[in-house]
Amino acid sequence: MGKVEDAHLFFRREMDLIGRLSPWYTRVTDWLYGLVSDYGHSFERPIVGLAGLWALWSALYVLYFTSVDKLHLDMDGMDLALSIAGLSFANIFAVFGFHWRFPSDLLADPGTDAILLTASETLLGFMFLFFLGLGLRTRFRLR
């Protein structure tokens, strides 16, 4: 009958069963796919994931920059918070080219830890954006 909603409900149940019956090493990916996006059905979960990623990595940047003592002493607290939040936002949405919009002198001389932090945030942000796109496609599919 071409009922898209019923087909997607069946797909979600099928993916849940496949996740339970599959070998242990693929269960993790199936479980994460269900957790993060409800198998491509939810767009709220990736939005919450993006917000959580932004907040967590902003806190990690604060910890990193204070631990390596690379903070500029002439920056006040508000400028520093905005710079770190902008850096985190630009890394999450790196696919859109926001790095030129939020110029940050915090990474003028990045260490290996800073490169790993920024790269992991960019990869996780790309995955959350992909799941957001899946959820929006499912939500606004023409019936």
PDB file of all heavy atoms in Angstrom, residues 1 12 25 32 40 43 45 86 97 103 109 118 122 137 141:
ATOM      1  N   MET A   1       0.812  -1.198   0.000  1.00  0.00           N
ATOM      2  CA  MET A   1       0.000   0.000   0.000  1.00  0.00           C
ATOM      3  C   MET A   1       0.852   1.257   0.000  1.00  0.00           C
ATOM      4  O   MET A   1       0.332   2.344  -0.129  1.00  0.00           O
ATOM      5  CB  MET A   1      -0.937  -0.008   1.209  1.00  0.00           C
ATOM      6  CG  MET A   1      -1.972  -1.118   1.141  1.00  0.00           C
ATOM      7  SD  MET A   1      -3.083  -1.143   2.536  1.00  0.00           S
ATOM      8  CE  MET A   1      -3.986   0.346   2.264  1.00  0.00           C
ATOM      9  N   ARG A  12      12.915  -0.307  11.571  1.00  0.00           N
ATOM     10  CA  ARG A  12      13.496  -0.096  12.908  1.00  0.00           C
ATOM     11  C   ARG A  12      13.439  -1.369  13.731  1.00  0.00           C
ATOM     12  O   ARG A  12      14.383  -1.712  14.435  1.00  0.00           O
ATOM     13  CB  ARG A  12      12.787   1.052  13.620  1.00  0.00           C
ATOM     14  CG  ARG A  12      13.098   2.402  13.039  1.00  0.00           C
ATOM     15  CD  ARG A  12      12.695   3.543  13.937  1.00  0.00           C
ATOM     16  NE  ARG A  12      11.368   3.447  14.480  1.00  0.00           N
ATOM     17  CZ  ARG A  12      10.309   4.114  14.030  1.00  0.00           C
ATOM     18  NH1 ARG A  12      10.432   4.900  12.990  1.00  0.00           N
ATOM     19  NH2 ARG A  12       9.135   3.990  14.603  1.00  0.00           N
ATOM     20  N   TYR A  25      30.837  -7.972  17.857  1.00  0.00           N
ATOM     21  CA  TYR A  25      31.584  -6.821  17.350  1.00  0.00           C
ATOM     22  C   TYR A  25      30.737  -5.909  16.458  1.00  0.00           C
ATOM     23  O   TYR A  25      31.104  -4.770  16.229  1.00  0.00           O
ATOM     24  CB  TYR A  25      32.849  -7.259  16.615  1.00  0.00           C
ATOM     25  CG  TYR A  25      32.635  -8.328  15.568  1.00  0.00           C
ATOM     26  CD1 TYR A  25      32.284  -8.007  14.280  1.00  0.00           C
ATOM     27  CD2 TYR A  25      32.778  -9.672  15.909  1.00  0.00           C
ATOM     28  CE1 TYR A  25      32.073  -8.982  13.340  1.00  0.00           C
ATOM     29  CE2 TYR A  25      32.577 -10.657  14.973  1.00  0.00           C
ATOM     30  CZ  TYR A  25      32.227 -10.308  13.680  1.00  0.00           C
ATOM     31  OH  TYR A  25      32.022 -11.284  12.753  1.00  0.00           O
ATOM     32  N   LEU A  32      24.705   1.765  18.674  1.00  0.00           N
ATOM     33  CA  LEU A  32      24.966   3.204  18.569  1.00  0.00           C
ATOM     34  C   LEU A  32      24.085   3.859  17.512  1.00  0.00           C
ATOM     35  O   LEU A  32      23.602   4.973  17.708  1.00  0.00           O
ATOM     36  CB  LEU A  32      26.447   3.453  18.249  1.00  0.00           C
ATOM     37  CG  LEU A  32      27.413   3.287  19.399  1.00  0.00           C
ATOM     38  CD1 LEU A  32      28.845   3.409  18.913  1.00  0.00           C
ATOM     39  CD2 LEU A  32      27.126   4.294  20.491  1.00  0.00           C
ATOM     40  N   GLY A  40      17.721   6.271  12.043  1.00  0.00           N
ATOM     41  CA  GLY A  40      17.428   7.260  11.023  1.00  0.00           C
ATOM     42  C   GLY A  40      16.067   7.914  11.142  1.00  0.00           C
ATOM     43  O   GLY A  40      15.670   8.665  10.258  1.00  0.00           O
ATOM     44  N   PHE A  43      15.285  13.136  14.553  1.00  0.00           N
ATOM     45  CA  PHE A  43      16.190  14.250  14.307  1.00  0.00           C
ATOM     46  C   PHE A  43      16.468  15.012  15.595  1.00  0.00           C
ATOM     47  O   PHE A  43      17.360  15.856  15.635  1.00  0.00           O
ATOM     48  CB  PHE A  43      15.644  15.194  13.216  1.00  0.00           C
ATOM     49  CG  PHE A  43      14.379  15.894  13.570  1.00  0.00           C
ATOM     50  CD1 PHE A  43      14.402  17.122  14.180  1.00  0.00           C
ATOM     51  CD2 PHE A  43      13.155  15.312  13.295  1.00  0.00           C
ATOM     52  CE1 PHE A  43      13.233  17.773  14.510  1.00  0.00           C
ATOM     53  CE2 PHE A  43      11.981  15.958  13.613  1.00  0.00           C
ATOM     54  CZ  PHE A  43      12.015  17.187  14.225  1.00  0.00           C
ATOM     55  N   ARG A  45      17.443  13.551  18.512  1.00  0.00           N
ATOM     56  CA  ARG A  45      18.623  12.956  19.151  1.00  0.00           C
ATOM     57  C   ARG A  45      19.933  13.490  18.578  1.00  0.00           C
ATOM     58  O   ARG A  45      20.852  13.805  19.344  1.00  0.00           O
ATOM     59  CB  ARG A  45      18.566  11.435  19.036  1.00  0.00           C
ATOM     60  CG  ARG A  45      17.492  10.814  19.888  1.00  0.00           C
ATOM     61  CD  ARG A  45      17.507   9.318  19.732  1.00  0.00           C
ATOM     62  NE  ARG A  45      16.397   8.679  20.424  1.00  0.00           N
ATOM     63  CZ  ARG A  45      16.203   7.379  20.457  1.00  0.00           C
ATOM     64  NH1 ARG A  45      17.042   6.567  19.843  1.00  0.00           N
ATOM     65  NH2 ARG A  45      15.168   6.886  21.093  1.00  0.00           N
ATOM     66  N   GLY A  86      33.625  29.390  19.953  1.00  0.00           N
ATOM     67  CA  GLY A  86      33.706  29.534  18.503  1.00  0.00           C
ATOM     68  C   GLY A  86      34.594  28.482  17.864  1.00  0.00           C
ATOM     69  O   GLY A  86      34.286  27.965  16.791  1.00  0.00           O
ATOM     70  N   GLY A  97      32.889  25.215   6.496  1.00  0.00           N
ATOM     71  CA  GLY A  97      33.938  26.217   6.374  1.00  0.00           C
ATOM     72  C   GLY A  97      33.833  27.375   7.341  1.00  0.00           C
ATOM     73  O   GLY A  97      34.090  28.519   6.970  1.00  0.00           O
ATOM     74  N   PRO A 103      38.035  33.194  13.692  1.00  0.00           N
ATOM     75  CA  PRO A 103      39.494  33.097  13.763  1.00  0.00           C
ATOM     76  C   PRO A 103      39.933  32.950  15.212  1.00  0.00           C
ATOM     77  O   PRO A 103      39.531  33.707  16.082  1.00  0.00           O
ATOM     78  CB  PRO A 103      39.975  34.415  13.159  1.00  0.00           C
ATOM     79  CG  PRO A 103      38.825  35.344  13.331  1.00  0.00           C
ATOM     80  CD  PRO A 103      37.583  34.513  13.305  1.00  0.00           C
ATOM     81  N   ASP A 109      49.977  27.427  17.653  1.00  0.00           N
ATOM     82  CA  ASP A 109      51.021  26.409  17.700  1.00  0.00           C
ATOM     83  C   ASP A 109      50.418  25.142  18.305  1.00  0.00           C
ATOM     84  O   ASP A 109      50.632  24.847  19.480  1.00  0.00           O
ATOM     85  CB  ASP A 109      52.199  26.920  18.546  1.00  0.00           C
ATOM     86  CG  ASP A 109      53.361  25.944  18.545  1.00  0.00           C
ATOM     87  OD1 ASP A 109      53.474  25.161  17.583  1.00  0.00           O
ATOM     88  OD2 ASP A 109      54.136  25.960  19.511  1.00  0.00           O
ATOM     89  N   THR A 118      40.717  18.362  18.062  1.00  0.00           N
ATOM     90  CA  THR A 118      39.973  19.003  16.984  1.00  0.00           C
ATOM     91  C   THR A 118      39.537  17.995  15.926  1.00  0.00           C
ATOM     92  O   THR A 118      38.422  18.081  15.410  1.00  0.00           O
ATOM     93  CB  THR A 118      40.799  20.122  16.335  1.00  0.00           C
ATOM     94  OG1 THR A 118      42.039  19.585  15.874  1.00  0.00           O
ATOM     95  CG2 THR A 118      41.062  21.244  17.304  1.00  0.00           C
ATOM     96  N   THR A 122      35.648  17.094  14.930  1.00  0.00           N
ATOM     97  CA  THR A 122      35.170  17.232  13.558  1.00  0.00           C
ATOM     98  C   THR A 122      34.537  15.947  13.059  1.00  0.00           C
ATOM     99  O   THR A 122      33.471  15.971  12.428  1.00  0.00           O
ATOM    100  CB  THR A 122      36.327  17.651  12.634  1.00  0.00           C
ATOM    101  OG1 THR A 122      36.857  18.898  13.097  1.00  0.00           O
ATOM    102  CG2 THR A 122      35.878  17.791  11.201  1.00  0.00           C
ATOM    103  N   ARG A 137      15.275  13.933   6.639  1.00  0.00           N
ATOM    104  CA  ARG A 137      14.764  13.337   5.408  1.00  0.00           C
ATOM    105  C   ARG A 137      13.549  12.473   5.706  1.00  0.00           C
ATOM    106  O   ARG A 137      12.545  12.509   4.999  1.00  0.00           O
ATOM    107  CB  ARG A 137      15.848  12.491   4.746  1.00  0.00           C
ATOM    108  CG  ARG A 137      15.390  11.807   3.471  1.00  0.00           C
ATOM    109  CD  ARG A 137      16.366  10.744   3.103  1.00  0.00           C
ATOM    110  NE  ARG A 137      16.329   9.707   4.130  1.00  0.00           N
ATOM    111  CZ  ARG A 137      16.254   8.418   3.865  1.00  0.00           C
ATOM    112  NH1 ARG A 137      16.203   8.006   2.632  1.00  0.00           N
ATOM    113  NH2 ARG A 137      16.244   7.533   4.839  1.00  0.00           N
ATOM    114  N   ARG A 141       9.662  13.622   4.486  1.00  0.00           N
ATOM    115  CA  ARG A 141       9.434  12.854   3.263  1.00  0.00           C
ATOM    116  C   ARG A 141       7.993  13.056   2.815  1.00  0.00           C
ATOM    117  O   ARG A 141       7.067  13.014   3.614  1.00  0.00           O
ATOM    118  CB  ARG A 141       9.685  11.376   3.535  1.00  0.00           C
ATOM    119  CG  ARG A 141       9.404  10.510   2.319  1.00  0.00           C
ATOM    120  CD  ARG A 141       9.728   9.093   2.592  1.00  0.00           C
ATOM    121  NE  ARG A 141      11.182   8.998   2.577  1.00  0.00           N
ATOM    122  CZ  ARG A 141      11.854   7.943   3.004  1.00  0.00           C
ATOM    123  NH1 ARG A 141      11.208   6.931   3.524  1.00  0.00           N
ATOM    124  NH2 ARG A 141      13.153   7.903   2.941  1.00  0.00           N
TER     125      ARG A 141
END
